[in-house]
Amino acid sequence: MIQRTRALFVASLCLAAIAATTTSDAEAKWTRTTPWACHIIQGTALDTNWALQNDSTTNELVALCPIVDSDYLLKQNLTRVNVHVRDGHGSASARALLCESNYTTAGGACSAPASSGDSFVGNTTLSPSTTNVWSTATAAYFGYIYVAMPRKSGTSRSNFRGYWTED
Amino acid sequence: MKTQLLRGAVSVVLGLGSGLAIAFVWSSLHAPPSAPASMAPGALAGVDPAASDSKPAEPLDTEAQALALWSSKLAEHAAEAIDEPWSSIASRKLHVDLEQLADERGFSLTRTDCRTTSCSATLRWPSYQAAIDGFSALLHAGYQVSCARRITLPEPDDPDQPYDATILFDCSTDRRAM
């Protein structure tokens, strides 16, 4: 009898712990954003279609994209960022960097770039490392993503479809 | 029979209760902080500590804090040992890339210095305003060595004089790939 009671107690304890852990995992937060949130500083943006496309045959398209930084999702807690693009140029690459602008002084920082590679053509996801930016020490700094799309190659345009962040 | 059922029910209730309590304590200990350390009342610039009791404060920093962080980054780099041959190879590649940017962006390159996982480059702009206008290009540029990059431009006494600045590169990613 005592053994059965113990077994019931242990089983219930495990069940509760598993349920609590599962609930905790489900609390991972993420955001998904369209490129229309970004500020275009270079290139020829063609946005009449389903993605932001670069129509320039001479310049890469450069977009500066805001990230959510709130008490819901602090930027220093972000562990993964995916930037969804199509690299349409066979000898230039799409790049994405995670960056921050200093608050009180001039300056800032960016991660090492994630690149599609010069010879790659097609859809790809760029995932720059969050390791060297967006730390607790720079909580006051403003975070953004720098996205560069290659110039148009013949009729092949590169495009930028959006980005995802997760803590 | 009734006693057995009662004991069983008590075991289940106690088990669930204890499990939830343990899970709660565990998650409290391992949960990320709800606010950054710099959000502590009194550590912020322009925030009334009394007003921040009930509402979270904006995570601001002071210029002194930003400069202290920058100084610590510079000191970390300076304290690194020089690891050959990576140091020479990375310095050379970075020098080539920065020389090209210097021609395009109107600054001059004084020195590059790579150590074990980090590099620095000393640059000179014609004025502080020229540095403000030009530093972003250095943060966003593509370099042969894959590194994170950081720069801070403290305000000088005379903004019209030539302005020297240091940019730091954290190349741990590049080193891991080698």
Side-chain angles (χ1 to χ4, degrees), chain A residues 1-2 4-21 24 29 41-42 60 62 64 69-71 74-77 95 97 99-113 129 131-142 144 146 167, chain B residues 3-5 7-20 22-24 26-27 32-39 45 56 58-67 69 73 105 128 132 135-136 139-143 146-154 170 172-173 176:
Chain A
M1 182 59 205
I2 291 173
R4 191 188 291 172
T5 308
R6 271 188 196 154
L8 270 172
F9 177 81
V10 171
S12 305
L13 194 135
C14 291
L15 196 67
I18 288 166
T21 311
S24 169
K29 301 183 189 80
I41 59 167
Q42 185 182 296
E60 59 180 12
V62 175
L64 304 181
D69 186 11
S70 69
D71 55 0
L74 292 167
K75 72 177 180 303
Q76 56 265 36
N77 291 343
R95 304 189 316 280
L97 296 85
C99 300
E100 62 191 6
S101 298
N102 291 9
Y103 168 60
T104 47
T105 59
C110 289
S111 68
S129 167
T131 304
N132 293 301
V133 286
W134 301 345
S135 69
T136 305
T138 60
Y141 296 9
F142 293 99
Y144 66 96
Y146 175 96
D167 70 356
Chain B
T3 313
Q4 284 179 357
L5 280 173
R7 278 185 183 162
V10 167
S11 299
V12 169
V13 168
L14 283 177
L16 285 170
S18 307
L20 286 170
I22 290 166
F24 176 76
W26 189 90
S27 62
S34 58
S38 61
M39 286 175 70
E58 185 181 356
L60 307 179
D61 68 351
T62 62
E63 187 174 359
Q65 286 171 323
L67 294 179
L69 174 67
K73 298 277 182 195
R105 302 284 176 174
Y128 182 58
I132 299 279
F135 80 86
S136 293
L139 290 181
H140 300 147
Y143 299 95
S146 181
C147 312
R149 52 301 293 267
R150 182 176 295 279
I151 189 168
T152 291
L153 305 170
D170 181 336
S172 345
T173 314
R176 277 198 297 270

Side-chain angles (χ1 to χ4, degrees), chain B residues 63-149:
Chain B
E63 187 174 359
Q65 286 171 323
L67 294 179
L69 174 67
W70 179 236
S71 296
S72 73
K73 298 277 182 195
L74 291 170
E76 277 173 28
H77 166 69
E80 269 198 352
I82 293 175
D83 181 17
E84 295 291 3
W86 181 84
S87 165
S88 298
I89 295 167
S91 282
R92 199 161 48 243
K93 287 180 175 175
L94 205 54
H95 194 90
V96 169
D97 292 335
L98 285 166
E99 280 288 7
Q100 189 180 336
L101 277 168
D103 290 343
E104 296 166 6
R105 302 284 176 174
F107 65 87
S108 56
L109 174 63
T110 311
R111 179 171 184 255
T112 53
D113 169 36
C114 291
R115 290 170 176 266
T116 303
T117 60
S118 67
C119 296
S120 70
T122 314
L123 320 163
R124 170 167 285 197
W125 275 278
S127 67
Y128 182 58
Q129 190 58 51
I132 299 279
D133 295 343
F135 80 86
S136 293
L138 295 169
L139 290 181
H140 300 147
Y143 299 95
Q144 295 177 68
V145 189
S146 181
C147 312
R149 52 301 293 267

Side-chain angles (χ1 to χ4, degrees), chain A residues 116-158:
Chain A
S116 59
D118 280 350
S119 59
F120 177 83
V121 176
N123 292 325
T124 190
T125 298
L126 308 173
S127 303
S129 167
T130 58
T131 304
N132 293 301
V133 286
W134 301 345
S135 69
T136 305
T138 60
Y141 296 9
F142 293 99
Y144 66 96
I145 305 172
Y146 175 96
V147 183
M149 307 297 308
R151 62 191 181 276
K152 186 163 77 170
S153 172
T155 57
S156 175
R157 293 194 197 100
S158 297

